[in-house]
Amino acid sequence: MARDAWGRPLRNLRISVTDRCNLRCQYCMPEEEYGWLPRDEILQFEEIDRLVGVFTGLGVDKVRLTGGEPLLRRDLPRLVRLLAARPALRDIALTTNGVLLGAEAPALRAAGLHRVTVSLDTLRPARFAALTRRTSHAQVLEGIAAVPRAGFTGTKLDTVVIRGVNDDELNDLVEFARTVPAEVRFIEYMDVGGATRWSREQVVSRAEMLDRLARRYGPIEPVIEESSAPADRFRLPDGTVFGIIASTTAPFCADCDRSRLTADGMWYLCLYALRGTDLRKPLRAGASEDALRELIRDRWQGRRDRGAEERLALRDRSPLIQIARLKEDPHLEMHTRGG
Ligand code: SAM
Ligand code: SF4
Ligand code: SF4
């Protein structure tokens, strides 16, 4: 198993299958216009699968398909089927905004997908429209309902909590998640990629979220577990479990075993990394499996990234990347990198 300069294993690969999206979330894609990755540079499913084979040889046993909106990629179940045939993968998950999930959930399940995470920031249709600049809220709720119907368990709902936007819905989302059933995870607003309007004041910290939930539900206990999952899990007095991903105020870089592959085959060692490694070029030039493995091992062994911790140490913190720079390189966008 490959280990980086801090001894962190290479275990978790997030694969962005497209940079396109059918929503325009204010914290991810706030601008009017975007430059897109050229279509002929997008990896074919067989190419993604081949790279995954190289990664599993170095210790990766968990993959997450994401985007952009991964369900915009035509015939995604075919990629799932290729990956599900790899016994080294213990976990194949999907992160989606849910808009197209109602139609796709059964085929994804049949193809061998293990788990689904749906991003859901609000239960209020008008608020959803303001936040995403699209009116597909009902479709998202239908998509969520389709997940247990298709036979999935271990479902998660991810909510980015933003002060003054949706921070009054924590309790409602806990209640809603119970009915799905799913585990809700509240994510601190991060200053990554396209979050060009981020400000520290809009971040609701884990401590504040716990405080608010405790006022409604009573004493909250942490769930004790050994894992490198980025969520801290907590239990309400009635046994309901929820998560908080404190990536902004209490980052977890020391245990980070995640890296990211973009739809055009750039590999990033950190969500905040400004530069990545082009894997498409050697792949298409016919590099052998051994050569690709050595390239990936070499990069991982040199990894010292701890982007969120470095951001936390900044006194004067404004969005990581300004809009002009984002326009020059779409790889810096969260919707390209996959979140
Ligand atoms: N489109 C899919 C979706 O929304 O689930 C997958 C890609 S999206 C980039 C993955 C996750 O990143 C989503 O849960 C989204 O809420 C999260 N995200 C995007 N921008 C963020 C930000 N500035 N802070 C925290 N999370 C963010
Ligand atoms: Fe929203 Fe996900 Fe699309 Fe970003 S990629 S705009 S978070 S739906
Ligand atoms: Fe991992 Fe980078 Fe996120 Fe830290 S900031 S947890 S190193 S991806």
Side-chain angles (χ1 to χ4, degrees):
M1 175 184 294
R3 290 195 177 261
D4 74 3
W6 284 13
R8 298 172 294 187
L10 170 57
R11 219 181 257 146
N12 225 305
L13 183 67
R14 301 184 70 113
I15 304 170
S16 171
V17 293
T18 178
D19 58 331
R20 284 13 182 217
C21 193
N22 45 5
L23 299 183
R24 288 291 180 275
C25 303
Q26 297 284 359
Y27 52 76
C28 179
M29 300 184 74
E31 312 301 331
E32 288 303 321
E33 286 184 30
Y34 286 90
W36 305 106
L37 300 177
R39 284 194 186 271
D40 59 343
E41 293 182 1
I42 301 298
L43 297 182
Q44 293 167 6
F45 289 160
E46 285 70 20
E47 293 176 312
I48 294 176
D49 180 52
R50 178 142 182 258
L51 286 176
V52 168
V54 178
F55 277 102
T56 56
L58 290 163
V60 165
D61 60 4
K62 293 173 85 169
V63 295
R64 178 169 292 276
L65 303 176
T66 174
E69 175 42 42
L71 297 182
L72 286 180
R73 183 83 188 248
R74 206 153 53 88
D75 202 13
L76 191 69
R78 194 168 74 77
L79 174 61
V80 172
R81 224 171 294 123
L82 289 174
L83 300 179
R86 295 194 168 277
L89 290 180
R90 279 191 307 119
D91 189 27
I92 306 172
L94 170 78
T95 298
T96 169
N97 63 28
V99 174
L100 300 172
L101 194 54
E104 291 287 328
L108 289 164
R109 176 78 184 153
L113 185 72
H114 298 158
R115 295 186 302 125
V116 180
T117 298
V118 187
S119 301
L120 178 71
D121 297 325
T122 178
L123 293 167
R124 305 183 192 179
R127 188 173 275 184
F128 179 92
L131 192 60
T132 66
R133 287 175 284 162
R134 299 290 185 271
T135 52
S136 359
H137 191 249
Q139 272 170 269
V140 174
L141 296 185
E142 279 165 31
I144 292 170
V147 177
R149 262 205 320 267
F152 287 103
T153 54
T155 305
K156 301 210 164 82
L157 298 180
D158 278 4
T159 303
V160 180
V161 180
I162 304 181
R163 192 180 307 284
V165 173
N166 63 346
D167 58 328
D168 53 350
E169 289 191 65
L170 299 186
N171 301 342
D172 293 349
L173 284 159
V174 166
E175 302 296 329
F176 175 76
R178 275 205 267 254
T179 67
V180 173
E183 192 172 304
V184 67
R185 303 194 303 175
F186 299 114
I187 304 174
E188 289 180 354
Y189 186 18
M190 298 167 71
D191 54 347
V192 279
T196 49
R197 301 180 189 174
W198 182 93
S199 75
R200 199 193 291 257
E201 293 67 42
Q202 286 179 299
V203 178
V204 182
S205 69
R206 174 172 64 194
E208 184 176 345
M209 290 189 225
L210 285 174
D211 190 52
R212 289 192 193 188
L213 287 162
R215 258 183 275 150
R216 161 73 176 77
Y217 292 102
I220 295 174
E221 305 178 335
V223 175
I224 310 294
E225 56 198 345
E226 262 298 311
S227 110
S228 66
D232 279 328
R233 298 169 79 229
F234 299 90
R235 193 177 286 110
L236 299 176
D238 70 0
T240 304
V241 172
F242 66 96
I244 299 187
I245 305 185
S247 13
T248 299
T249 68
F252 35 83
C253 301
D255 294 324
C256 177
D257 58 8
R258 274 177 302 286
S259 66
R260 294 171 163 81
L261 184 67
T262 64
D264 64 343
M266 290 294 289
W267 183 47
Y268 287 88
L269 304 187
C270 177
L271 193 50
Y272 286 88
L274 298 180
R275 267 188 295 276
T277 300
D278 186 353
L279 299 181
R280 184 186 74 243
K281 212 166 163 193
L283 183 75
R284 290 197 176 162
S288 69
E289 187 136 343
D290 284 351
L292 288 167
R293 188 178 306 113
E294 284 323 300
L295 170 64
I296 292 170
R297 187 201 305 276
D298 180 68
R299 289 291 192 283
W300 187 261
Q301 283 177 342
R303 177 183 187 246
R304 293 176 181 278
D305 300 68
R306 46 183 201 91
E309 287 179 2
E310 282 166 5
R311 299 291 298 162
L312 185 63
L314 293 181
R315 197 176 269 273
D316 185 19
R317 188 166 174 180
S318 56
L320 172 70
I321 305 169
Q322 301 305 317
I323 181 63
R325 178 88 177 83
L326 284 174
K327 287 200 165 148
E328 283 164 19
D329 185 0
H331 293 100
L332 298 171
E333 296 279 1
M334 187 82 150
H335 70 262
T336 304
R337 214 168 271 197

